[in-house]
Amino acid sequence: MTIRRAKLGRSRGLTMLALSILTALTGWTLVRVSGESAAAPSPVKHPAPVAAATTAPAPPATGGQQAVVVNQCPPSAVACVDEQLRISWLQQDGKVVYGPVPVMPGTAGADDSVATPTGVFHVQWKDAHHVSSEFNEPMTNAVFFAAGGIAFHEGSLVSSSHGCVHLSPADSARYYAALPVGAEVAVF
């Protein structure tokens, strides 16, 4: 995988943080392209997950081993969340149209967190400027899909959520725009 320099402006620090988190979560390695600065990477396009019945090589894991990614997401789902890999993507008819992107789901056993529920759900409602009534915290670009106020929304990619699925600001805006009420969401 190569990373190329891009005009990042004020988002440089956030992009560096997101890339650091993504490499830590996935075990992927960033490499420097000869003659270009490694200090200003652009967002990375990651390989799409493969069909549910097949496996394919993912980016190399540490130690030169190949990781295998299996897409467990039903083709009817519009949004998919792999809690173990901490990634999510949008798809249409089983084909990835956006992502995978890094996410931070809720984690059982973490302080002030519960595990994001697994299963197949449907978007119930949306609120671009929601504030949690339980935690009094902003949930920008909230897309509610499971009982108990579980939603995709903008949030930390480092700290576990209270059960929701945290996305970066740009990714939360994309999910908010792409997921209508009734859209299928799969979390596994």
Side-chain angles (χ1 to χ4, degrees):
M1 167 176 36
T2 58
I3 304 297
R4 300 204 180 272
R5 183 173 51 197
K7 296 177 184 174
L8 296 174
R10 294 185 302 192
S11 67
R12 178 179 177 187
L14 179 59
T15 302
M16 293 296 292
L17 175 62
L19 285 172
S20 297
I21 293 167
L22 185 59
T23 56
L25 295 175
T26 63
W28 296 357
T29 304
L30 300 179
V31 296
R32 184 176 184 177
V33 177
S34 179
E36 296 189 30
S37 170
S42 64
V44 177
K45 182 173 181 177
H46 304 291
V50 295
T54 62
T55 59
T62 56
Q65 300 172 0
Q66 288 287 321
V68 176
V69 176
V70 178
N71 183 358
Q72 300 176 45
C73 196
S76 56
V78 179
C80 308
V81 179
D82 184 323
E83 288 187 316
Q84 182 179 6
L85 294 178
R86 293 185 178 172
I87 59 173
S88 179
W89 60 92
L90 298 174
Q91 63 181 23
Q92 184 174 10
D93 300 320
K95 294 186 177 160
V96 176
V97 295
Y98 183 75
V101 298
V103 298
M104 180 56 78
T107 307
D111 289 340
D112 203 24
S113 181
V114 296
T116 301
T118 58
V120 176
F121 309 94
H122 291 88
V123 173
Q124 299 168 355
W125 61 289
K126 299 167 39 167
D127 184 353
H129 306 288
H130 188 75
V131 176
S132 166
S133 58
E134 186 175 354
F135 301 102
N136 197 31
E137 294 179 7
M139 296 172 63
T140 305
N141 297 320
V143 178
F144 294 89
F145 62 86
I150 304 300
F152 289 109
H153 65 85
E154 180 181 324
S156 171
L157 296 177
V158 178
S159 301
S160 292
S161 72
H162 299 290
C164 291
V165 178
H166 287 171
L167 294 159
S168 72
D171 294 333
S172 72
R174 182 72 176 256
Y175 276 53
Y176 187 85
L179 294 172
V181 171
E184 188 171 297
V185 174
V187 181
F188 51 91

